[in-house]
Amino acid sequence: MNWEQLLSLKRFGDTQKRERIKQDETRLGFEVDFDRIIFSSAFRSLQDKTQVIPLSKTDFVHTRLTHSLEVSVVGRTLGRRVGKELLERHPNLKELGYTFNDFGAIVATAAVTHDIGNPPFGHSGEKAIGEYFKTGNGLKYKEQLSEIEYQDLIDFEGNANGFKILTESNQGADGGLRLSYATLGAFMKYPKESLPKKPTKHIVDKKYGFFQSEKASFLDVANDLGLQKKEGDGISYYRHPLAYLVEAADDICYTIIDFEDGINLGLIDEDYALEYMIKLVKNTIDSKKYHSLKYKKDRISYLRALAIGVLINEAVAIFLENEESILNGSFEKSLLDKCKYEAQINDIIKISVEKIYRSKDVVEKEVAGYKIIADLLDVFVTALNNKFTGTQSNYDSLVLNLLPKEYQQEKEELYDRVMQICSYVSGLSDGFAIRFHKKLTGNIT
């Protein structure tokens, strides 16, 4: 893979190459990508989607929206710092007009978008959709789908749904949001289809990154960017190098900031937390300043800022040390899995799992989410299929009137009809899904 091709400004539908040196410096193509995401309805729905604590009643716990914005800020710094060094290593990029801010803009946009495809109720929402088709009423569709189409459903993946949101054409809006291919490449952490499942231990095989419905779009982007194809069965490629930085930004934020949320909520004792955080920041902490801070939230914020800074430095150093192996696809782990603080990070994540992600409040709402998502899928998938077969009831007709027009398209293939509904349900916010479910089950108060 080579950087000039990887930094493609092409958008869906372009017939000519967009040259960096001809870009309007006041409105760069990579910055236009960011703007399009921020103004999209899919991004707005993240303000009421779970990050750590579902439906929290407090005003300082992160949602998917605030998490995504923070990941973007970290991603921008990672991109700029890496970009500055890469321009020195590859002076031809300077001659073509690229700047370190381009790298920052690409990573920031891919980072702010990284959770855009996640269903309501956190990662349990993905599992709830999968289990509806694996063990729930959706199992009856298995024999009517190909093996890989069925795998898309039972392993429903927010990353693949995100790629669908960003690229799916609608009437009069070809190419979805029409983001630059460089940004789409950086967004794809798992550039493969759902089968074969986890064929190797390489990080790119951990999950999958596109549904069968977006296969053509994926291949178009991968070929334009010159992503390196992996050997083996199925469609699978090595990552766009900047996807490692997007992943690192997410890893840094959820490791440190979810931990911070747990402390502020009282789920993790501050003294206990300090024991773990100090291992990350012991070389940078100003003890006098720390002890001068009167309030817990200020002390935790100070430690969080130091910890994020330490991990940014680590991620940048590891990326630059391994640029060649990242470009040729032989770098098999995430950046933070290679850092000298791996043990400390794992300790923090372990505590977060025990004290936060498995807390009673979280589990109770996740259980409710399973029921809500299964019921919504059942009602809408049944209604849409009954309409297609000409067996719809009056109830089905009423239900379909509740769907936005773009999700009522008549599709010949069962897979496409089911995917329409999965996409709709995934786009719901936590609160709206709950209110909608109440109405569908007869609770109109």
Side-chain angles (χ1 to χ4, degrees):
M1 292 183 278
N2 69 83
W3 283 111
E4 181 180 348
Q5 197 169 357
L6 290 165
L7 298 175
S8 173
L9 280 154
K10 180 181 178 180
R11 299 179 188 278
F12 181 85
D14 282 354
T15 56
Q16 293 183 328
K17 181 179 180 180
R18 295 185 186 226
E19 297 180 39
R20 174 60 181 87
I21 202 164
K22 294 181 180 179
Q23 286 279 298
D24 178 356
E25 293 296 328
T26 66
R27 183 116 170 103
L28 293 173
F30 299 133
E31 293 172 347
V32 171
D33 290 344
F34 189 90
D35 299 346
R36 290 180 176 182
I37 295 299
I38 295 298
F39 281 98
S40 69
S41 58
F43 184 73
R44 286 197 300 275
S45 74
L46 297 179
Q47 67 186 306
D48 186 28
K49 283 192 175 182
T50 295
Q51 170 59 21
V52 183
I53 307 297
L55 306 164
S56 174
K57 302 301 182 184
T58 65
D59 61 358
F60 55 76
V61 170
H62 290 80
T63 64
R64 287 281 175 190
L65 183 74
T66 50
H67 168 71
S68 296
L69 290 169
E70 289 170 345
V71 173
S72 180
V73 169
V74 173
R76 183 181 62 218
T77 300
L78 288 168
R80 286 178 175 178
R81 289 182 55 182
V82 164
K84 187 175 181 180
E85 174 61 27
L86 291 179
L87 291 173
E88 297 301 319
R89 296 182 183 184
H90 307 280
N92 62 304
L93 295 177
K94 285 184 180 179
E95 294 171 7
L96 292 168
Y98 289 102
T99 73
F100 65 84
N101 282 327
D102 294 331
F103 292 85
I106 293 168
V107 178
T109 303
V112 83
T113 313
H114 81 283
D115 273 347
I116 203 166
N118 280 25
F121 308 111
H123 287 296
S124 68
E126 292 172 301
K127 295 183 177 67
I129 292 174
E131 290 191 14
Y132 170 77
F133 294 101
K134 190 173 184 178
T135 60
N137 289 344
L139 177 60
K140 62 188 175 187
Y141 303 115
K142 180 179 181 181
E143 300 305 318
Q144 302 173 60
L145 299 166
S146 70
E147 183 182 9
I148 198 165
E149 287 173 342
Y150 186 61
Q151 191 68 36
D152 282 358
L153 295 172
I154 63 173
D155 257 352
F156 188 85
E157 176 56 52
N159 289 285
N161 193 50
F163 187 74
K164 182 181 184 70
I165 290 168
L166 300 179
T167 61
E168 185 176 37
S169 295
N170 289 313
Q171 189 172 358
D174 292 340
L177 295 179
R178 294 191 71 242
L179 304 182
S180 69
Y181 281 18
T183 294
L184 290 172
F187 170 82
M188 293 188 291
K189 292 193 293 185
Y190 311 106
K192 69 178 291 290
E193 56 189 347
S194 58
L195 287 176
K197 184 175 180 178
K198 296 183 180 179
T200 74
K201 292 184 178 180
H202 196 296
I203 188 68
V204 299
D205 288 327
K206 182 180 177 182
K207 299 180 182 179
Y208 69 98
F210 66 92
F211 298 129
Q212 290 303 294
S213 50
E214 281 68 54
K215 180 163 64 175
S217 297
F218 168 81
L219 289 172
D220 180 38
V221 173
N223 291 332
D224 179 76
L225 294 171
L227 299 188
Q228 184 177 336
K229 197 173 189 305
K230 288 180 82 246
E231 294 182 1
D233 298 331
I235 297 172
S236 182
Y237 288 76
Y238 292 110
R239 280 179 175 175
H240 189 296
L242 297 184
Y244 282 95
L245 298 181
V246 174
E247 178 180 60
D250 186 27
D251 289 348
I252 289 169
C253 287
Y254 87 73
T255 299
I256 303 303
I257 298 174
D258 286 5
F259 197 60
E260 179 186 14
D261 275 352
I263 299 166
N264 285 326
L265 284 168
L267 297 172
I268 301 172
D269 182 79
E270 182 185 358
D271 291 336
Y272 188 55
L274 178 60
E275 178 185 340
Y276 287 87
M277 292 282 277
I278 202 71
K279 295 175 184 177
L280 278 177
V281 303
K282 61 183 179 181
N283 295 326
T284 54
I285 190 171
D286 181 335
S287 297
K288 184 177 180 181
K289 179 177 179 179
Y290 175 78
H291 290 294
S292 72
L293 296 170
K294 182 177 180 181
Y295 300 107
K296 178 172 74 172
K297 69 179 184 64
D298 293 329
R299 293 191 294 272
I300 299 304
S301 293
Y302 175 61
L303 294 179
R304 176 248 298 151
L306 291 179
I308 288 175
V310 166
L311 295 179
I312 285 175
N313 291 340
E314 276 291 293
V316 169
I318 294 165
F319 185 98
L320 293 173
E321 287 168 10
N322 295 277
E323 181 198 356
E324 184 178 352
S325 61
I326 288 171
L327 282 169
N328 66 33
S330 61
F331 191 83
E332 296 190 342
K333 293 188 175 184
S334 70
L335 297 178
L336 293 194
D337 280 342
K338 285 279 191 177
C339 87
K340 62 186 177 184
Y341 297 105
E342 181 189 3
Q344 290 88 336
I345 291 169
N346 288 337
D347 284 343
I348 288 174
I349 291 174
K350 182 179 178 181
I351 296 299
S352 294
V353 169
E354 293 174 359
K355 302 290 185 179
I356 306 171
Y357 308 141
R358 291 179 184 166
S359 67
K360 184 179 179 182
D361 193 38
V362 170
V363 172
E364 284 177 347
K365 291 186 173 75
E366 287 184 345
V367 169
Y370 266 79
K371 172 66 174 171
I372 291 167
I373 286 176
D375 286 352
L376 292 175
L377 287 172
D378 207 35
V379 166
F380 287 116
V381 170
T382 299
L384 198 60
N385 280 326
N386 285 349
K387 180 182 179 182
F388 178 78
T389 59
T391 59
Q392 69 183 123
S393 65
N394 186 54
Y395 178 74
D396 293 331
S397 299
L398 290 171
V399 164
L400 289 179
N401 283 331
L402 298 175
L403 277 179
K405 294 295 184 184
E406 61 266 32
Y407 297 104
Q408 296 185 40
Q409 299 176 49
E410 294 190 14
K411 305 279 190 179
E412 283 294 319
E413 299 298 325
L414 171 66
Y415 172 79
D416 293 327
R417 295 195 298 275
V418 171
M419 267 298 169
Q420 274 191 112
I421 302 304
C422 289
S423 182
Y424 171 68
V425 171
S426 294
L428 301 178
S429 66
D430 293 16
F432 186 80
I434 291 170
R435 294 190 297 274
F436 203 179
H437 182 261
K438 284 182 178 179
K439 292 176 182 178
L440 287 176
T441 52
N443 185 350
I444 59 175
T445 57

